[in-house]
Amino acid sequence: MMDFEPPLRLTLGGSALVSNWRALDKRSGAARAGAAVKADAYGLGAREVVARLRDAGCRDFFVAHWGEAEAIADLIPPEWIAVLNGISSADVPGARALGAIPVLNTVEQVELWRTSGGGRCHIMFDSGINRLGLGPEQLTAAAIHGVEVDLLLSHLASADADVAQNGAQLSSLQSVITTVNAKRRSFANSAGIMLGDDYHFDLTRPGLSLYGGIARSEMAAFIKPVVALSARLLQVRDVSAGSPIGYNATHICNADTRVGTISIGYADGYLRAFSGKGTARVGGHIVPVIGRVSMDLVTLDLTGIPDIGEGDWVELDYDLISASALTGLSQYELLTNLGSRFARVWR
Ligand SMILES: *Cc1c(COP(=O)(O)O)cnc(C)c1O
């Protein structure tokens, strides 16, 4: 294999990541903060994230799939990993060999865990999101006998908003707490941490805000950006007024224009929602995306920008709050869409 330098780069702030985890851990009060590292740590790269948070003192890591647990299991004791999406009978031998801990979501999964040997597990209680977990009718002492419950978890549906559903879910969780003889309890995601001590229990599970997402507006005061996107200029051309740019000529230049084409596209997660809306930075100038974002290319209006040419790097504006407002994509989508062609460079 030859080593080609990718023409697009994600610059990742290792100290910002750790600072965000510490800030969330502190705001979790008496509870510890864990880390949701599913979906390749929201697109950043799970192995790099896990190693850094482990060194910072994080001891609980949440993934969705068993394959995601396997991909990080050599970095930490496997029992520090919880697999949120549960377990099937086909998963059991691998799960036991790996040693990561299943989050059991149904009565059937508890039964499967018990009959295949029992032991340490986590239980998800559905307190009202109606998505995954045992509901109030299913979570009985009989249903969970014979397994050793480490964490009793539940997940908030609307912690990013001040709505009655938060309190209703809290009451629902409190009403089953004595039913389950769990070592620890966990309720809050990033946004839930800001709802106050009642929501913290023993362990919080931030994801988005570790990676720079502002899950609630008050978090902007202490959460630092972690991700920056840059791409190389592949070509610069001067076109005359009236020239069409890109697929379907969605942009017509209203004056003579210098057009720069950079090496990033929707296949990299820079979605078509940025067409004609996104902006980028070159040498201290802000330049607009013109025309449609295509699979591997984006066109910029570089008119009036001196001393820029083929091979130069351009930074895309990717502040999660503004990019979300601009495109209608959620901060979660903006992160998890980031593709595999980036060089991921940790600073
Ligand atoms: C993804 C996830 C989290 C993390 O949520 P954020 O909103 O990203 O902080 C926590 N708990 C569960 C069960 C999840 O699925």
Side-chain angles (χ1 to χ4, degrees):
M1 271 279 278
M2 282 180 272
D3 277 321
F4 295 105
E5 196 206 351
L8 68 173
R9 190 188 286 155
L10 273 187
T11 306
L12 299 157
S15 47
L17 171 76
V18 167
S19 159
N20 290 342
W21 181 76
R22 292 214 170 104
L24 292 161
D25 186 53
K26 188 170 146 221
R27 280 169 182 78
S28 298
R32 296 184 63 104
V37 297
K38 59 198 180 181
D40 205 21
Y42 292 40
L44 277 67
R47 292 183 60 82
E48 293 284 348
V49 166
V50 166
R52 282 174 172 75
L53 295 183
R54 170 202 66 200
D55 294 347
C58 183
R59 293 294 175 262
D60 294 272
F61 295 87
F62 295 87
V63 296
H65 296 192
W66 286 96
E68 295 180 318
E70 188 177 20
I72 56 171
D74 60 320
L75 299 174
I76 46 177
E79 64 272 18
W80 292 5
I81 308 170
V83 181
L84 290 164
N85 282 13
I87 193 163
S88 70
S89 52
D91 294 329
V92 168
R96 298 237 175 240
L98 190 63
I101 311 298
V103 175
L104 305 176
N105 290 304
T106 63
V107 173
E108 290 74 17
Q109 288 177 20
V110 180
E111 175 74 19
L112 175 65
W113 193 245
R114 180 170 47 238
T115 56
S116 66
R120 184 167 165 192
C121 62
H122 307 310
I123 300 279
M124 177 64 81
F125 170 62
D126 194 320
S127 56
I129 192 171
N130 287 311
R131 195 181 65 167
L132 213 51
L134 287 83
E137 301 77 31
Q138 287 112 39
L139 189 58
T140 61
I144 57 165
H145 84 272
V147 295
E148 181 197 325
V149 183
D150 177 355
L151 274 177
L152 170 65
L153 301 85
S154 192
H155 192 52
L156 287 154
S158 309
D160 56 342
D162 293 313
V163 292
Q165 190 181 14
N166 296 324
Q169 285 196 259
L170 178 60
S171 306
S172 176
L173 176 57
Q174 280 162 339
S175 73
V176 298
I177 280 210
T178 53
T179 308
V180 185
N181 185 21
K183 274 208 205 78
R184 304 180 291 162
R185 287 127 190 156
S186 174
F187 194 26
N189 60 350
S190 299
I193 291 171
M194 304 311 288
L195 297 179
D197 288 345
D198 289 352
Y199 289 79
H200 293 158
F201 295 90
D202 302 303
L203 177 70
T204 60
R205 308 186 305 272
L208 182 70
S209 293
L210 295 173
Y211 312 118
I214 309 299
R216 290 177 59 97
S217 57
E218 60 268 37
M219 301 174 99
F222 63 90
I223 291 296
K224 299 178 178 166
V226 178
V227 176
L229 278 62
S230 43
R232 268 193 197 280
L233 260 177
L234 300 174
Q235 190 170 17
V236 178
R237 68 202 313 127
D238 290 302
V239 301
S240 47
S243 300
I245 303 297
Y247 283 122
N248 299 106
T250 59
H251 181 87
I252 307 289
C253 297
N254 60 15
D256 291 355
T257 302
R258 174 158 292 185
V259 181
T261 304
I262 56 172
S263 180
I264 189 171
Y266 61 75
D268 303 303
Y270 193 78
L271 297 188
R272 287 187 359 151
F274 286 98
S275 301
K277 289 185 179 173
T279 51
R281 316 247 152 190
V282 283
H285 300 268
I286 301 175
V287 297
V289 169
I290 52 174
R292 196 165 270 173
V293 170
S294 46
M295 189 184 294
D296 317 300
L297 300 170
V298 166
T299 37
L300 303 171
D301 183 345
L302 300 181
T303 308
I305 311 291
D307 303 327
I308 176 139
E310 198 175 315
D312 288 342
W313 286 91
V314 169
E315 180 172 347
L316 284 301
D317 284 319
Y318 212 69
D319 169 75
L320 294 173
I321 289 279
S322 1
S324 175
L326 195 67
T327 60
L329 298 163
S330 71
Q331 296 177 71
Y332 296 86
E333 292 166 298
L334 289 167
L335 290 173
T336 58
N337 281 326
L338 296 171
S340 58
R341 297 196 294 193
F342 287 95
R344 283 170 165 76
V345 181
W346 286 86
R347 293 263 153 80

